[in-house]
Amino acid sequence: MGRFSSTRALFAEWLGTALLLATVIGSGIMAERLAGGNVAIALMANTIATGAILVVLITMLAPVSGAHLNPAVSLAFALRREITWPRCGAYVILQVLGGIAGMLAAHLMFEEPLWQLSQKIRTGGAQWFSEGIATFGLVLTILATLRARPAAVPMAVGLYITAAYWFTASTSFANPAVTVARSLTDTFSGILPGHAPMFIAAQFAGSLVAVAVCAWLFTGDDPGRTE
């Protein structure tokens, strides 16, 4: 956390998650309006905006709070005893509230009704498994890159999410705070509120598996060491 106070760290998590959701939802609205019904083009635009903003947000906020912006990431760091459990709980609350604020900002910018409930169906085993894989890969990317080359984390996360939008059936929410906010927008990036809990459960499960894999893969080894 360096010289920054807990208050500033909590605000950074709120602000970063708000900007992330404003980008995810806002770019989805813009993409759908401009794509002329071509869902692939709309998804590509949404993907590029999301990957790009993650690079920016992590670069500028990591020195303040770690730039988790994601309850599944905060859980991973708490399990590794790199943040305290009270700090993890506070982060999660501010991330969820920030996500909702970002959703409202996107709706306001595009003259959408502020409060909505998504009608977009995203459910089934393939979707849940995809969210588990997406979040596993995200947390693995963060933990492994922090160990190998910390300065590369912003770019690694942005690139991973850009790829995961396309190789997962769920388009890689990979974030419980994002999932909550996206359940409150009946736009391109939405998810039916009733389908959100299984997404969130799969995301936390993916995070737990990633922490376990990293503990086995890296603990006690020196970078570059081989037997």
Side-chain angles (χ1 to χ4, degrees):
M1 300 301 167
R3 62 186 175 86
F4 293 94
S5 68
S6 295
T7 300
R8 292 180 182 179
L10 292 172
F11 179 74
E13 287 297 306
W14 177 87
L15 178 62
T17 314
L19 290 172
L20 173 60
L21 265 299
T23 302
V24 170
I25 294 173
S27 66
I29 296 171
M30 178 71 84
E32 189 170 45
R33 290 181 181 180
L34 297 180
N38 189 319
V39 178
I41 291 176
L43 182 61
M44 179 62 75
N46 191 212
T47 301
I48 293 170
T50 302
I53 199 63
L54 280 167
V55 175
V56 173
L57 293 174
I58 297 169
T59 298
M60 69 182 186
L61 297 177
V64 185
S65 68
H68 297 180
L69 317 180
N70 185 335
V73 173
S74 295
L75 173 64
F77 279 90
L79 288 169
R80 290 163 58 89
R81 300 182 182 178
E82 296 180 28
I83 62 170
T84 64
W85 284 105
R87 173 61 63 94
C88 176
Y91 271 19
V92 169
I93 292 169
L94 269 296
Q95 289 156 0
V96 172
L97 293 176
I100 293 171
M103 172 273 296
L104 292 171
H107 287 172
L108 188 61
M109 287 190 289
F110 287 93
E111 299 183 309
E112 291 277 340
L114 288 183
W115 294 102
Q116 307 175 18
L117 291 178
S118 177
Q119 300 301 310
K120 185 161 290 188
I121 296 172
R122 299 182 190 263
T123 190
Q127 296 275 313
W128 305 332
F129 182 65
S130 293
E131 278 303 293
I133 292 294
T135 313
F136 167 80
L138 173 62
V139 174
L140 182 66
T141 295
I142 294 168
L143 298 181
T145 307
L146 274 173
R147 184 175 181 278
R149 190 180 300 174
V153 170
M155 186 62 69
V157 170
L159 289 173
Y160 174 80
I161 291 297
T162 298
Y165 255 78
W166 288 86
F167 79 73
T168 63
S170 61
T171 67
S172 184
F173 287 41
N175 184 331
V178 166
T179 306
V180 170
R182 288 174 68 165
S183 73
L184 300 174
T185 183
D186 194 23
T187 61
F188 182 77
S189 58
I191 176 174
L192 193 74
H195 295 165
M198 284 301 297
F199 265 52
I200 292 170
Q203 290 155 3
F204 280 124
S207 179
L208 293 174
V209 174
V211 170
V213 168
C214 282
W216 173 78
L217 193 59
F218 298 121
T219 299
D221 290 337
D222 294 325
R225 175 183 171 185
T226 58
E227 295 298 332

